[in-house]
Amino acid sequence: MTHESSSSSSSPSGLRHRTSAADKRPQTPPAQSRPIPIPPATSRKAIDTATFYGPSRATGSSHTAYIPPERSPFIEPELVMEEEPIPHDPPAWSETTTNWGEPSAEWDTITTTVESWGEQSASRKVAIDGRDDKEELTWFDPALRALRPGPGLLPPLLADMLHDPEHALYSVSTKPHTPSTSSHAPSADEVRTAIPHPNAYYCKDHNGWVFLQWRSSTVLPPLIREPETPFPDQARRKRTTSCVGEGEQPFGPANLTHHWHLYENAVDASKLNPPYTHGKLLLNLYLCCQCSMYCLVSDGVIPGVIPTSLVDEFTRDKLSHPAVDKTPRATVVAAWETILTILDNRLWRDEMRALPISRARFRGKVGWGDAVQKVFEAIGFPLGNLSQGENSAEPALQPPPIDPATLEGKTSRSKLLRAWVEVGAWLTIYEKSKDSLQDYNPMVLLVKAESARDMYQTGIGAHVSQITRGLLPIPLQGYAELDPSWRILGMTPSTYSWELLAFAYLAQCRCDPANTMVYFTHLWTIVHTMLQLGLNVPQDLQTVITQERSRFRFTPGDLADAVKTLGFGRDGDLGVELDNDVDDDFIAQAWRSARQRAWQNPTDASITRAKLNDALRLVAEFRGSDKLLKVWGDEKGTGMSPETAFSTLEVPRDVDETMLLTVYSMRIEDQPSQGERMREALSVIAEVTNSDRLRQFLTTGQDPGDGIITNTSPEMPRGLNQLGNTCYLNSLLQYFYTIKDLREAIASLAHADAKTLDDSKFTDDDLKRHRVGGRLVTRREIARSRKFVNLLAELFFNMEYCENPAITPEIELAKLALVTTQDEEEDEADKAGTDSSNDTDATLVDDMPPRPAYDRAPSSPLQSPGSAGSVLGKRSRDGEEGMDVDMSPPVASPTERVEMAKAASPSPPPHDTQEAAEFISDAVASSSKLPTPADVEMKDESQSNKAPPLPPRKPRQTEDSVMMFGRQHDVSECMDNCMFQIETALLDFQGMATSDDDKTSPVKRLFYGKKRQRLTSLSPTDDARHQSSIHEKEDLFSHLHVNVADEGFDIYDGLARYFDDVVELGGQKKRMEVSLVDLPPLLQIQLQRVQFNRETQQAYKSQAYVKFGETVYMDRFLDSASPEKKARSKEIQAELTAARDRVQRLTQGKHAPFAPALANVADFLSKQTAIDLPADDALVTSLQDEEKIVTEKLRVERERTARLKQQLEDIWKDDTSAAYELTSVFIHRGSSPSWGHYFFYSRNLPGHPNSWFKYNDSDVSSVSKDEVLADTTGSTANPYMLVFVRKDCDAIETVHRFNPETVEEGE
């Protein structure tokens, strides 16, 4: 059977390029050089899988071993095809883009339909990875085009691109030939290598070969040159072996299928292993942007020995003139078998006799004619005369030489072997046809040909078992008008499903953002056609359209309408076309002018101005203009009418501009919260009146007629005077004041006297029903807490109403904040006097559990003299000391507690559930309980209520740096103490019982979240006793702790260690995994800067810079985060930690850094003259070489660290739902962990998020964002606590001041 629609043309490389009725050459949207391949659609059914000749292999496209032939000093001549080239069809793009805008002509009608579709939350998630919301929303940014690989295609379209889908490819192999006595008989290796390459597949319809290879590899094939368009991100590609296939993605597919990208003529086949040795052959490279798969294919057919046209002509002639005793098909088979026999006799029997063409037997089997002669000339049998005998003039075909010792013989031999393989393959495939040969018995063929379609379709992900067929609605089958849309989106209509269509669209937008609107146009064209034909559009596909429209996607028709709306075009108000010669300033002025003219028709003004706003944004995005986008964002307003503008400023329409600006400034002063609305009102009036004076004022803040008019800002916050070493308490109190809900809750207790505080009656039973910090509270604590909150409310009242620039807190307030109840009790116990007048027998027994003897440990031998708790760091999970503030012994770390308990008992510590739960709680340094670990009940209630005796105390030391109230704690513990007292003071004993999960308390509601902690065995070889200690629990938290490292460290690195760490329990290392179940509105992250030098036995403050930004995304740490991403992150994090450890060993430690040390020693030895030392140039050279090695190793490790860090961040870059914005930064200035100065920054929320205040005790000043986020490397002023507020949460009101003028006007 022949295909009239197909023909071939030869190229200079000897390849025949294919053309067909539907051109399959790559296409690209306008303004892009990247091609989008466009083959015709196919629904051809895949047939059985076949293997290549030789032993079958498990992976890849090559199924044969390769033995390289001996190199010859001669170059094999290329075959020259005597065919006329057939011109290619014109690109299909020009035929399809002229009607882009047609769907948008009915957009208003269709939008009504779309708006009635389901909510976005109903959409099913399409499996696609690598998207970046920010990039997709700024698709018009030219910088993105240099980073993305451009348009791609899905596997079914790639399958059609590899070769004509109407043709089949076959894997060809040979059987052993009958042994021959000829000295020139081909060897088995010669026969095997007659096939062009192990990855060459035979096409009967072209009588040629297609080079086709697919494989998964992190190493790209050898490239001829760098591509014109960038490769996909190679780091991302290396993460996944394949996007398809069972077991490739154990946590579910990150991508629905492959997304292939074409790089034309990128690979030289002669550089492959094994190489292609039959002339020059350039291969097209297809890369999947999301995994390690790539595919190589020849850009055309490697021609066979006999040209396709001759094969077709010879076959047609035999079909048209069958032999008398044979069917037409039998005649064809007999003719080709005769040619195959002639080739076989010449090669294996060394038949040298000429073949007379006029004899009956030859003519009966082959015949004679122009086509027959050309066939024999192609295989090397030229027409001549018999060389001897009486019929020496008889025409005959002359056999070619095959002696491999000569160049001519070697060339002829190679050609004959290739022709023998190709004719045998052709016959094998031809005889598989169902058409009967009747009584004809074909010869036994030594060439096998088996279909490769299933094999290569499965390899590239296009098999029917991988991508379902048959879901396309019947009315769309064969619907030619949609063919361009399917092809531009990179898919075939036969493989339609709503998921695959959505994936194709999103993948194109991801990889080719510059043409986002082109792809949206074609997606909409398909959906719109389905609507027009009355088909049921899947709900999820409707949701995709709705979501994309909400992201301001538009069609070319929308663009044309926008240009017309702005007044451009031959018939527009401006009379000029909008092209690249029109600058942004002109467009902005045209927009402003059109908005002003809109007021001439007040009835439709608001609608017209809204359309103009949309038009400017659309044009700005299309042009990729940041300037126009800024103009749009700054000036678009909310659609306020002139009447509303004058009414907002409370001025008449005929007000003069001087008075208007005066009134405007007054209104801003009076109503600062309405500043933006006032500004918009003034902007509308400036447009209506066409006032340049008002416009300049809005731009510069200065009145060009009356000098500078400044808006009086709201009052600055008040500072707090120091009481003596209380600067960090001042920072904490200022921070509390910025929290609106907390401030309002505390304000209710302002001006309450002592009698009022004591009037609240509660019984012992009431006390038992309410817990704070996981424990019961005593009457003494309640009274103390209410006193504290009363004083705090008084302070807050003064901060709101006082006119003085700074306020002095009460001494009693500072004492209650800095000293805990337990510290007071212990101080009183030291003095043998405990005030228990407020306690009853019930509270003395039940208010808290017995305290283990090791809760307050004696001074550790590793403790520095005179050091204790931590100012800059909560007690570390690793057992590091805290920053010194008081003289009390440090609280033992979780590991130390277990070891002390073990040492105090003759038997090992129990490994039961209770112990594991307690260890989890302690090891994570949870802030969900009070500062002292004994505050949380971790033992069974049935245990003895008798408290054990306290261990003997060592006499307290004193020093000058101790703060004014003796024993004090770090900022985190002070904060816990304050929050405990606030929550206790606000207890409602008339209400329901409270628990840790109760969210009615403002403290719990604002600061506390829930985490899940899991303690697991680190190794599966752990014995049964330790396997049984695997436990999981949930707990509250108010702080997250980041242990500050030294190099390449940011906030995510620190949090990652907190959420996944290795701890020691009972002599066994365990993995501590933490995830967040519920996040609080305010997220407090403490940077633990206190480190311990085990060699000097001294604590020190780490000055390392920890990078953080204005926003942190907590999605990766959520309990609901993607398990696949978590697993991949854990792998990369382990590599990253190892690389950082290697860097640290080379740069820190006892003898580090090594590179400078080696260089200094080498320099000293080479230059010193003070000591008479024998010259040792070898030693100096060795030291210099070692220094170079260390330096190079350090460079490699740092590059690896940066690369791994980027890979880690890329995994989570699309997870941005749990967004938190920076609101407060606490700073410690000083090099010692025992002393220093404290201040903090607070963001001016909610009204001015780009401005910050610096609270430095009594001094409060405005600072820039850059100061807050600055790199603190080399500085002793470092952040030690960061506070983030949940995005779109109004918990923070930084400036809260009373304005007396509002009261006077109200009166």
Side-chain angles (χ1 to χ4, degrees):
M1 178 179 177
T2 61
H3 300 277
E4 298 296 337
S5 62
S6 299
S7 60
S8 63
S9 60
S10 62
S11 68
S13 64
L15 271 65
R16 294 200 296 272
H17 295 280
R18 306 177 299 278
T19 61
S20 64
D23 186 20
K24 293 167 61 248
R25 301 299 296 161
Q27 296 182 358
T28 281
Q32 285 289 294
S33 61
R34 288 290 304 149
I36 291 185
I38 304 181
T42 178
S43 59
R44 181 164 180 166
K45 183 178 179 181
I47 56 180
D48 292 340
T49 256
T51 58
F52 200 78
Y53 61 85
S56 176
R57 294 188 177 184
T59 58
S61 54
S62 176
H63 288 259
T64 182
Y66 173 73
I67 302 175
E70 293 184 18
R71 289 288 182 178
S72 169
F74 303 105
I75 300 176
E76 182 180 8
E78 295 184 352
L79 300 178
V80 179
M81 301 295 100
E82 299 179 1
E83 299 179 273
E84 295 184 2
I86 298 178
H88 295 292
D89 294 337
W93 181 263
S94 59
E95 302 171 4
T96 62
T97 57
T98 56
N99 58 359
W100 272 12
E102 290 183 3
S104 64
E106 300 175 359
W107 183 260
D108 292 341
T109 302
I110 295 162
T111 301
T112 303
T113 303
V114 173
E115 288 175 349
S116 67
W117 292 346
E119 296 293 332
Q120 293 186 12
S121 59
S123 67
R124 293 171 56 188
K125 184 178 179 181
V126 177
I128 180 169
D129 196 12
R131 297 177 62 197
D132 186 317
D133 285 340
K134 183 178 179 180
E135 288 187 2
E136 291 186 4
L137 291 175
T138 56
W139 59 269
F140 44 85
D141 185 359
L144 296 180
R145 303 175 189 179
L147 303 175
R148 294 297 186 178
L153 60 157
L154 303 191
L157 190 58
L158 174 61
D160 289 352
M161 281 297 302
L162 297 179
H163 191 60
D164 192 328
E166 297 298 324
H167 298 176
L169 294 179
Y170 292 85
S171 176
V172 175
S173 60
T174 60
K175 301 177 183 178
H177 199 281
T178 304
S180 172
T181 58
S182 171
S183 60
H184 293 159
S187 65
D189 283 345
E190 285 182 288
V191 174
R192 179 170 50 80
T193 55
I195 299 173
H197 192 272
N199 295 113
Y201 296 85
Y202 179 75
C203 175
K204 169 183 169 293
D205 300 278
H206 284 107
N207 190 40
W209 306 82
V210 174
F211 185 103
L212 178 58
Q213 182 185 42
W214 60 91
R215 65 179 301 185
S216 176
S217 174
T218 58
V219 180
L220 293 176
L223 304 174
I224 297 177
R225 58 186 176 277
E226 287 296 321
E228 296 179 0
T229 54
F231 281 132
D233 182 0
Q234 295 304 300
R236 173 176 290 279
R237 294 187 66 246
K238 291 178 181 179
R239 295 177 201 159
T240 306
T241 302
S242 177
C243 292
V244 298
E246 294 182 2
E248 297 293 348
Q249 301 175 85
F251 297 99
N255 289 281
L256 195 59
T257 185
H258 294 298
H259 194 235
W260 298 97
H261 296 270
L262 168 62
Y263 299 87
E264 293 186 283
N265 298 328
V267 176
D268 185 350
S270 65
K271 305 298 183 183
L272 298 177
N273 184 21
Y276 178 85
T277 59
H278 300 279
K280 184 176 180 61
L281 178 64
L282 299 182
L283 304 175
N284 290 337
L285 171 64
Y286 290 88
L287 293 178
C288 177
C289 59
Q290 299 298 308
C291 72
S292 301
M293 287 293 297
Y294 70 80
C295 179
L296 295 172
V297 61
S298 52
D299 185 22
V301 178
I302 303 170
V305 175
I306 305 174
T308 307
S309 58
L310 291 181
V311 174
D312 292 343
E313 184 179 353
F314 182 87
T315 302
R316 285 195 301 269
D317 179 71
K318 298 308 165 188
L319 289 171
S320 303
H321 305 87
V324 176
D325 58 341
K326 298 181 182 66
T327 64
R329 289 186 60 82
T331 302
V332 171
V333 171
W336 281 113
E337 285 179 347
T338 301
I339 295 175
L340 185 62
T341 301
I342 293 172
L343 292 169
D344 192 280
N345 289 340
R346 182 68 191 94
L347 288 167
W348 275 272
R349 298 184 181 181
D350 201 15
E351 179 60 68
M352 295 294 296
R353 292 175 295 176
L355 294 172
I357 63 173
S358 58
R359 298 182 183 180
R361 185 177 180 184
F362 181 91
R363 294 206 172 226
K365 287 185 175 292
V366 180
W368 188 253
D370 185 60
V372 177
Q373 182 177 349
K374 290 182 178 179
V375 167
F376 278 95
E377 288 176 349
I379 62 177
F381 284 77
L383 183 63
N385 296 323
L386 289 174
S387 58
Q388 57 184 348
E390 58 184 31
N391 295 323
S392 58
E394 182 180 0
L397 297 173
Q398 305 297 320
I402 60 170
D403 184 0
T406 66
L407 175 61
E408 182 182 10
K410 185 175 181 179
T411 302
S412 299
R413 182 187 188 87
S414 176
K415 182 190 295 185
L416 291 175
L417 278 170
R418 172 75 66 81
W420 180 81
V421 169
E422 290 169 352
V423 173
W426 193 98
L427 276 170
T428 301
I429 299 167
Y430 190 83
E431 291 175 2
K432 290 181 180 181
S433 173
K434 295 180 180 179
D435 294 346
S436 174
L437 301 179
Q438 290 188 359
D439 297 333
Y440 183 78
N441 187 23
M443 66 183 291
V444 176
L445 299 173
L446 298 180
V447 177
K448 297 191 300 182
E450 298 179 355
S451 173
R453 184 184 296 269
D454 279 8
M455 182 170 57
Y456 71 74
Q457 283 189 347
T458 301
I460 64 173
H463 195 265
V464 67
S465 63
Q466 297 164 319
I467 295 181
T468 306
R469 270 72 164 177
L471 299 180
L472 185 69
I474 294 177
L476 292 184
Q477 296 178 12
Y479 199 88
E481 289 81 356
L482 289 182
D483 286 348
S485 295
W486 296 114
R487 293 193 293 268
I488 293 301
L489 292 174
M491 63 181 296
T492 59
S494 62
T495 55
Y496 161 80
S497 68
W498 84 262
E499 295 97 336
L500 197 65
L501 177 58
F503 175 87
Y505 164 75
L506 295 174
Q508 293 289 55
C509 294
R510 173 191 65 196
C511 297
D512 187 23
N515 284 308
T516 293
M517 295 311 146
V518 176
Y519 299 125
F520 179 74
T521 297
H522 288 286
L523 174 66
W524 170 248
T525 299
I526 294 173
V527 175
H528 175 55
T529 301
M530 297 173 72
L531 291 172
Q532 284 187 320
L533 296 177
L535 300 175
N536 180 32
V537 179
Q539 183 68 38
D540 296 291
L541 188 55
Q542 299 175 21
T543 302
V544 171
I545 294 291
T546 304
Q547 289 173 336
E548 290 304 289
R549 287 298 291 181
S550 70
R551 296 185 342 145
F552 214 77
R553 301 301 190 231
F554 57 85
T555 67
D558 298 329
L559 176 61
D561 291 342
V563 171
K564 184 178 179 180
T565 299
L566 292 174
F568 290 94
R570 182 177 301 177
D571 301 326
D573 295 337
L574 302 176
V576 296
E577 297 291 341
L578 181 58
D579 52 30
N580 293 334
D581 294 333
V582 179
D583 61 27
D584 291 341
D585 290 335
F586 184 88
I587 296 173
Q589 190 55 44
W591 174 68
R592 296 188 184 105
S593 177
R595 279 167 53 94
Q596 181 184 352
R597 292 194 306 272
W599 297 122
Q600 298 174 5
N601 185 1
T603 304
D604 300 325
S606 296
I607 297 176
T608 302
R609 286 165 62 85
K611 289 183 178 179
L612 286 165
N613 288 346
D614 290 344
L616 180 64
R617 175 175 174 176
L618 193 153
V619 170
E621 290 191 356
F622 179 77
R623 292 169 66 95
S625 170
D626 292 334
K627 179 183 289 187
L628 288 179
L629 286 171
K630 187 177 188 306
V631 169
W632 174 83
D634 292 345
E635 302 180 27
K636 70 180 188 308
T638 61
M640 181 183 294
S641 67
E643 290 75 19
T644 304
F646 285 107
S647 175
T648 299
L649 294 176
E650 301 181 57
V651 295
R653 291 186 67 95
D654 58 351
V655 65
D656 67 87
E657 292 180 343
T658 300
M659 179 59 69
L660 175 63
L661 291 176
T662 301
V663 172
Y664 171 78
S665 299
M666 293 175 58
R667 296 286 182 261
I668 291 294
E669 291 181 18
D670 296 342
Q671 305 175 52
S673 62
Q674 297 295 314
E676 300 222 349
R677 182 169 176 80
M678 300 289 183
R679 181 178 177 83
E680 182 180 359
L682 187 61
S683 176
V684 170
I685 295 173
E687 281 187 359
V688 173
T689 60
N690 195 24
S691 170
D692 291 333
R693 179 181 179 182
L694 296 182
R695 290 196 189 98
Q696 185 172 345
F697 173 79
L698 287 166
T699 302
T700 65
Q702 298 179 2
D703 183 353
D706 296 333
I708 299 176
I709 299 177
T710 58
N711 297 332
T712 304
S713 300
E715 290 286 346
M716 292 287 290
R718 292 300 178 249
L720 296 178
N721 295 315
Q722 267 214 59
L723 297 176
N725 290 349
T726 60
C727 49
Y728 83 87
L729 174 61
N730 286 346
S731 297
L732 186 59
L733 297 178
Q734 292 279 28
Y735 163 63
F736 281 156
Y737 186 74
T738 66
I739 304 170
K740 182 172 62 174
D741 289 353
L742 185 65
R743 184 179 62 232
E744 292 174 355
I746 291 172
S748 62
L749 295 180
H751 306 297
D753 55 25
K755 184 176 184 305
T756 304
L757 296 176
D758 293 335
D759 278 346
S760 178
K761 302 297 181 183
F762 46 86
T763 65
D764 292 345
D765 290 335
D766 291 333
L767 291 176
K768 293 180 180 179
R769 292 189 298 110
H770 294 79
R771 289 178 175 265
V772 178
R775 67 176 179 86
L776 301 176
V777 294
T778 66
R779 293 180 182 274
R780 174 176 178 168
E781 287 176 321
I782 294 173
R784 187 181 193 276
S785 299
R786 289 184 172 178
K787 178 63 175 176
F788 168 78
V789 172
N790 174 247
L791 294 172
L792 185 59
E794 290 285 343
L795 176 66
F796 284 3
F797 178 88
N798 290 329
M799 293 172 71
E800 179 179 359
Y801 289 95
C802 184
E803 293 298 324
N804 295 330
I807 303 162
T808 302
E810 294 285 342
I811 294 288
E812 183 67 10
L813 173 65
K815 178 180 178 180
L816 293 172
L818 295 170
V819 181
T820 67
T821 305
Q822 181 181 345
D823 293 332
E824 285 185 345
E825 293 172 352
E826 291 179 357
D827 287 341
E828 291 169 355
D830 287 344
K831 299 175 183 177
T834 302
D835 181 8
S836 58
S837 59
N838 292 326
D839 293 308
T840 66
D841 291 340
T843 57
L844 285 174
V845 173
D846 294 332
D847 59 350
M848 63 178 64
R851 295 175 181 171
Y854 52 85
D855 268 1
R856 283 201 176 270
S859 179
S860 167
L862 300 180
Q863 177 185 352
S864 60
S867 66
S870 166
V871 171
L872 298 189
K874 192 79 169 178
R875 292 178 298 275
S876 168
R877 294 194 293 176
D878 297 330
E880 294 103 346
E881 286 193 51
M883 184 87 57
D884 292 352
V885 183
D886 56 49
M887 294 301 102
S888 66
V891 178
S893 70
T895 302
E896 290 168 343
R897 295 182 190 186
V898 173
E899 293 303 321
M900 282 186 284
K902 182 177 179 180
S905 172
S907 60
H911 296 277
D912 57 6
T913 303
Q914 183 176 353
E915 179 196 352
E918 181 176 359
F919 180 80
I920 288 175
S921 182
D922 289 340
V924 185
S926 169
S927 294
S928 60
K929 45 190 187 299
L930 283 179
T932 54
D935 290 340
V936 179
E937 174 69 88
M938 301 301 291
K939 297 185 178 180
D940 196 300
E941 293 287 348
S942 64
Q943 292 181 3
S944 172
N945 290 330
K946 183 177 179 180
L950 293 173
R953 291 183 174 85
K954 297 176 67 175
R956 294 186 183 178
Q957 303 174 9
T958 60
E959 63 174 27
D960 294 339
S961 66
V962 176
M963 294 189 184
M964 63 182 300
F965 301 112
R967 178 185 301 183
Q968 297 160 15
H969 302 278
D970 65 29
V971 175
S972 177
E973 292 172 337
C974 179
M975 180 182 293
D976 284 345
N977 184 37
C978 292
M979 291 194 296
F980 170 81
Q981 295 184 90
I982 294 171
E983 187 174 3
T984 301
L986 296 177
L987 282 176
D988 180 10
F989 289 96
Q990 306 303 318
M992 300 292 292
T994 60
S995 65
D996 283 345
D997 292 331
D998 179 52
K999 292 286 185 169
T1000 58
S1001 163
V1003 172
K1004 287 280 176 54
R1005 187 169 62 250
L1006 289 167
F1007 299 102
Y1008 281 80
K1010 183 178 291 186
K1011 62 190 175 186
R1012 178 173 288 116
Q1013 303 164 137
R1014 179 175 172 83
L1015 189 65
T1016 61
S1017 297
L1018 192 63
S1019 171
T1021 61
D1022 283 358
D1023 59 76
R1025 179 172 65 91
H1026 293 104
Q1027 285 284 349
S1028 64
S1029 65
I1030 299 175
H1031 297 283
E1032 182 174 284
K1033 65 169 290 188
E1034 290 187 358
D1035 195 8
L1036 299 180
F1037 72 93
S1038 62
H1039 294 76
L1040 299 179
H1041 303 272
V1042 170
N1043 189 27
V1044 177
D1046 287 326
E1047 185 168 334
F1049 192 84
D1050 67 10
I1051 194 68
Y1052 292 109
D1053 294 320
L1055 289 171
R1057 182 178 177 185
Y1058 175 86
F1059 287 99
D1060 190 352
D1061 203 357
V1062 176
V1063 295
E1064 188 168 326
L1065 175 63
Q1068 293 288 326
K1069 289 187 176 182
K1070 302 289 183 181
R1071 179 170 296 280
M1072 175 73 72
E1073 296 177 338
V1074 183
S1075 59
L1076 299 178
V1077 178
D1078 182 41
L1079 286 167
L1082 292 174
L1083 185 67
Q1084 301 176 136
I1085 300 177
Q1086 184 167 349
L1087 307 181
Q1088 299 180 165
R1089 293 192 171 274
V1090 179
Q1091 305 293 322
F1092 187 78
N1093 189 321
R1094 298 190 179 278
E1095 292 188 5
T1096 64
Q1097 296 289 292
Q1098 295 291 327
Y1100 69 94
K1101 175 193 171 187
S1102 170
Q1103 309 283 3
Y1105 168 55
V1106 178
K1107 184 178 180 181
F1108 58 91
E1110 291 184 90
T1111 305
V1112 63
Y1113 299 99
M1114 300 299 293
D1115 303 74
R1116 68 184 70 181
F1117 307 117
L1118 294 178
D1119 192 63
S1120 59
S1122 166
E1124 179 185 0
K1125 290 185 178 181
K1126 281 188 175 181
R1128 180 58 181 151
S1129 295
K1130 185 178 293 186
E1131 294 176 3
I1132 297 177
Q1133 187 66 53
E1135 295 182 45
L1136 181 59
T1137 300
R1140 283 175 170 160
D1141 288 344
R1142 290 191 290 270
V1143 170
Q1144 188 174 22
R1145 286 197 297 270
L1146 293 173
T1147 57
Q1148 300 178 29
K1150 185 175 182 179
H1151 301 291
F1154 295 102
L1158 291 167
N1160 292 337
V1161 172
D1163 184 66
F1164 171 79
L1165 292 176
S1166 63
K1167 296 180 180 179
Q1168 73 88 25
T1169 56
I1171 304 176
D1172 187 13
L1173 295 175
D1176 193 342
D1177 294 339
L1179 174 61
V1180 173
T1181 302
S1182 176
L1183 289 170
Q1184 292 173 339
D1185 291 343
E1186 191 68 20
E1187 186 268 338
K1188 293 177 182 178
I1189 293 173
V1190 172
T1191 301
E1192 177 61 17
K1193 185 175 182 180
L1194 189 59
R1195 183 192 67 80
V1196 170
E1197 291 298 337
R1198 283 173 170 163
E1199 289 180 355
R1200 175 176 172 79
T1201 299
R1203 184 170 63 253
L1204 290 170
K1205 174 63 176 172
Q1206 185 58 49
Q1207 293 178 11
L1208 188 63
E1209 294 307 315
D1210 286 344
I1211 293 177
W1212 299 102
K1213 67 179 182 180
D1214 295 329
D1215 295 76
T1216 57
S1217 59
Y1220 277 75
E1221 297 179 332
L1222 185 67
T1223 180
S1224 297
V1225 179
F1226 290 77
I1227 303 292
H1228 173 266
R1229 178 185 286 121
S1231 57
S1232 170
S1234 302
W1235 53 268
H1237 180 62
Y1238 302 83
F1239 59 92
F1240 98 114
Y1241 296 103
S1242 183
R1243 199 174 190 173
N1244 192 358
L1245 297 177
H1248 304 280
N1250 290 324
S1251 65
W1252 289 75
F1253 293 113
K1254 179 180 179 180
Y1255 295 78
N1256 191 1
D1257 288 331
S1258 59
D1259 181 28
V1260 181
S1261 58
S1262 296
V1263 297
S1264 68
K1265 175 180 65 177
D1266 294 338
E1267 178 178 329
V1268 181
L1269 302 179
D1271 186 339
T1272 59
T1273 301
S1275 171
T1276 63
N1278 320 105
Y1280 68 90
M1281 190 165 75
L1282 310 174
V1283 182
F1284 294 81
V1285 62
R1286 183 188 295 139
K1287 191 172 183 180
D1288 300 325
C1289 175
D1290 61 349
I1292 301 297
E1293 185 185 26
T1294 306
V1295 180
H1296 182 69
R1297 289 284 301 151
F1298 171 71
N1299 187 348
E1301 295 180 4
T1302 59
V1303 176
E1304 294 173 1
E1305 290 182 1
E1307 296 175 351

